[in-house]
Every structure is written in structure tokens, then in C-alpha cells.
Amino acid sequence: MSDASSWPFSLVRRAGGLVFLSGEVPVADDGSIPEGITAQTDLVFKHISETLAGEGLSLDDVVSCMVHLADKADFAEYNAAYRRHFKDPLPVRTTVQAQMIADVRLEVTVVAAARI
């Protein structure tokens, strides 16, 4: 992956007690992309978990998810994989079908509530 310092956006921002993460795509550290929506979903949430941990947070702190799926046929399998990563109360979520700019099946953006 390229050096994050060269990207024209912030990876994480805090504002008003919330932590906003930029969209995460399923690209491994070696640049590879796993096959299938389940493996890609798991990798995305692994990356999101690691970013949140760097902010002293976890997936339990996520209050909102915005999900972009490349193919609506992946929705059921994605939904099953997504559910394994969250406990109740579940975050609010919006899921849309979108054309991806990379050769991936999804991108996920989250907002977490910062711990006081």
C-alpha cells in the first residue's frame, strides 16, 4: 500500500465526541485483495478494528456504518459476515450499491463514539 501521508484526506478525525474513519477497502498490507465478499468484509473490519484501537476504541464504540457494495448480489453474504463483527446494540447502517474505483467488492466508513 502507498504511504498514507500522501493521501489527500485524513484517515481519522475527532469532532464533538465522535471519531470519524475514512472509508476502508479490503486491501491487505501486501497489496493483495482476498477473494469473495466474506473474506473482504472480514479484512475491512480487521483494518477498522486496528484503526479504532489506535484511538482507544473498538467496534463496540461504532454508532454508524456507511457501506458501499459493488454488487447487490453480495448483500446477503455481506450481511451475515457484517453481523459477526458487532454486538447489540447494533450501529445504524446505510448500505448502497456503488461503482468502486478499485477492484474490491466493498468499502465501509464508520463513526464511533469517543470514550470519555
Side-chain angles (χ1 to χ4, degrees):
M1 293 175 105
S2 62
D3 178 14
S5 65
S6 66
W7 298 342
F9 55 86
S10 297
L11 298 177
V12 178
R13 288 287 309 265
R14 285 181 175 257
L18 297 174
V19 178
F20 297 83
L21 274 61
S22 288
E24 184 66 59
V25 294
V27 178
D29 292 339
D30 65 2
S32 66
I33 299 170
E35 289 293 323
I37 190 66
T38 297
Q40 289 191 22
T41 300
D42 290 341
L43 182 57
V44 161
F45 283 106
K46 176 183 180 286
H47 289 314
I48 288 171
S49 293
E50 290 167 351
T51 301
L52 288 170
E55 297 295 315
L57 302 170
S58 73
L59 288 175
D60 293 341
D61 299 301
V62 172
V63 295
S64 179
C65 290
M66 176 62 162
V67 181
H68 296 87
L69 291 178
D71 186 344
K72 67 182 178 180
D74 285 337
F75 182 76
E77 192 175 342
Y78 163 77
N79 211 37
Y82 171 94
R83 184 63 177 99
R84 288 194 318 271
H85 294 278
F86 291 102
K87 300 185 288 193
D88 291 329
L90 298 171
V92 299
R93 186 179 88 186
T94 300
T95 305
V96 297
Q97 182 179 359
Q99 185 174 359
M100 299 292 150
I101 60 172
D103 191 23
V104 297
R105 302 189 72 82
L106 78 156
E107 181 172 358
V108 178
T109 303
V110 303
V111 178
R115 296 180 187 168
I116 298 176

